[in-house]
Amino acid sequence: MSEKIMMNWGSIHMQLLKKKILEEGQALSESILKVDSFLNHRMDPVLMHEMGKEFKRRFQDEKIDVVLTIESSGIGPGVMAALELSVPMIFARKRKSVTLTDDLITANVYSFTKKEANEIAVSNKFIGSGDRVLIIDDFLANGQAALGLMEICHKVNATVVGIGIVIEKAFQDGGAKLREQGVRVESLAKIEALSLGEITFVEEREGAIHE
Ligand code: 5GP
C-alpha cells in the first residue's frame, strides 16, 4: 500500500508516534483511523511511556493534582502521564459495576466510534473541589469525550488545567470547540486529512510547545 507522507518532524517523542502511525495506522475512511496495533487493542508500552514523558514536558509549568481519562483507550496514555507527573490517574467508567457504590459524578457522552450515548461516571471520593486536573485521551474527534470529562470536573469545582491528546483529527471540530472555551489542548500528533491509504499530518513548528 502506498502512502503519501507529508510531515514536519517535531520532538523526538512525536517522531516515534508519527512513524508508528504511518507504518501501522490504517485510514478506514476519511474520518476513522485504526491504530489497534499499538494504541487501541495491543499497546506498545515503550511508546506509551514516551507519550507520558511528552505530556509531562508540555504541562511542566502547570500544577497538576490528578490525571483524568476515560475507559478504555485513554487508560494507557493517561497512566503514563500520571506516572511521569507523579500523581494518581482516574478513569471515568462507562459501564455500571457492582463495586461502584460511592456517590457518582456523571456526564453523558456520545461515542464517536460506537455511535451511542453513554453515561460516564467518576466516584466523588477521587475528585473534588480545588483539584487541578489534566485530562488525557487517545483521540480527539468532535470533542464529546473531553467535554464530558470537563463537565465532571466543573460539577465538583475542580479546575481543568489542560487536555492532552495522543492523536487529534484536526479536520473535525473538537479541537476548535475546546480551544474556543479557553482550554489549553496539546496534541502529540495532529492529522490534517485521512483518505484510504493516506495519512496527512498538520505541519508544525519545530519544538512548538503552545498552540
Ligand atoms: P470525540 O469524543 O472527540 O468525538 O471522539 C473521541 C473518542 O472517540 C476517543 O475517546 C476515541 O476512543 C474515539 N475515536 C474518535 N475518533 C477515532 C478514530 O479515528 N479512531 C479510533 N480508534 N478512535 C477514535
Side-chain angles (χ1 to χ4, degrees):
M1 181 169 59
S2 78
E3 282 185 335
K4 193 175 120 211
I5 301 173
M6 282 176 61
M7 74 191 89
N8 184 2
W9 298 118
S11 77
I12 184 81
H13 309 292
M14 288 195 295
Q15 282 184 38
L16 284 172
L17 174 63
K18 286 181 177 174
K19 187 167 177 285
K20 202 84 166 170
I21 292 171
L22 288 170
E23 283 173 0
E24 299 181 22
Q26 258 181 289
L28 294 184
S29 68
E30 289 184 357
S31 62
I32 302 267
L33 179 65
K34 180 173 175 172
V35 283
D36 273 18
S37 66
F38 64 92
L39 183 60
N40 292 132
H41 193 22
R42 182 170 67 176
M43 286 192 187
D44 178 333
V46 175
L47 182 62
M48 290 286 166
H49 195 192
E50 292 304 316
M51 290 175 195
K53 290 180 195 167
E54 180 65 11
F55 284 129
K56 180 183 179 177
R57 186 183 75 78
R58 292 186 184 212
F59 288 100
Q60 62 194 352
D61 52 334
E62 301 281 358
K63 182 184 176 301
I64 292 165
D65 299 311
V66 65
V67 168
L68 176 64
T69 188
I70 181 167
E71 68 174 350
S72 51
S73 295
I75 294 175
V79 78
M80 288 301 180
L83 175 69
E84 287 300 313
L85 290 162
S86 302
V87 298
M89 184 210 74
I90 307 167
F91 62 95
R93 304 189 65 157
K94 290 177 184 161
R95 285 166 283 272
K96 299 262 180 298
S97 162
V98 287
T99 63
L100 217 54
T101 53
D102 307 321
D103 284 339
L104 300 177
I105 311 141
T106 61
N108 276 312
V109 168
Y110 183 78
S111 165
F112 180 80
T113 43
K114 299 197 178 73
K115 306 283 178 225
E116 62 182 28
N118 284 301
E119 184 176 70
I120 62 166
V122 171
S123 161
N124 73 348
K125 269 205 325 220
F126 299 133
I127 190 164
S129 177
D131 281 345
R132 295 182 58 82
V133 181
L134 174 63
I135 291 173
I136 297 280
D137 204 7
D138 60 337
F139 271 90
L140 178 58
N142 296 321
Q144 296 307 301
L147 287 168
L149 293 170
M150 282 175 68
E151 190 183 328
I152 284 177
C153 293
H154 293 152
K155 281 184 174 171
V156 295
N157 291 319
T159 302
V160 176
V161 300
I163 300 177
I165 297 289
V166 178
I167 303 174
E168 175 176 348
K169 291 180 293 176
F171 54 89
Q172 291 170 313
D173 66 356
K177 267 190 220 157
L178 299 172
R179 292 181 180 102
E180 269 165 21
Q181 296 196 14
V183 193
R184 179 171 166 196
V185 182
E186 293 282 348
S187 304
L188 304 189
K190 275 193 197 162
I191 292 178
E192 186 176 82
L194 292 174
S195 59
L196 285 179
E198 188 172 326
I199 300 167
T200 310
F201 290 101
V202 174
E203 292 213 22
E204 288 182 84
R205 236 172 347 110
E206 189 81 17
I209 292 179
H210 296 277
E211 307 290 321

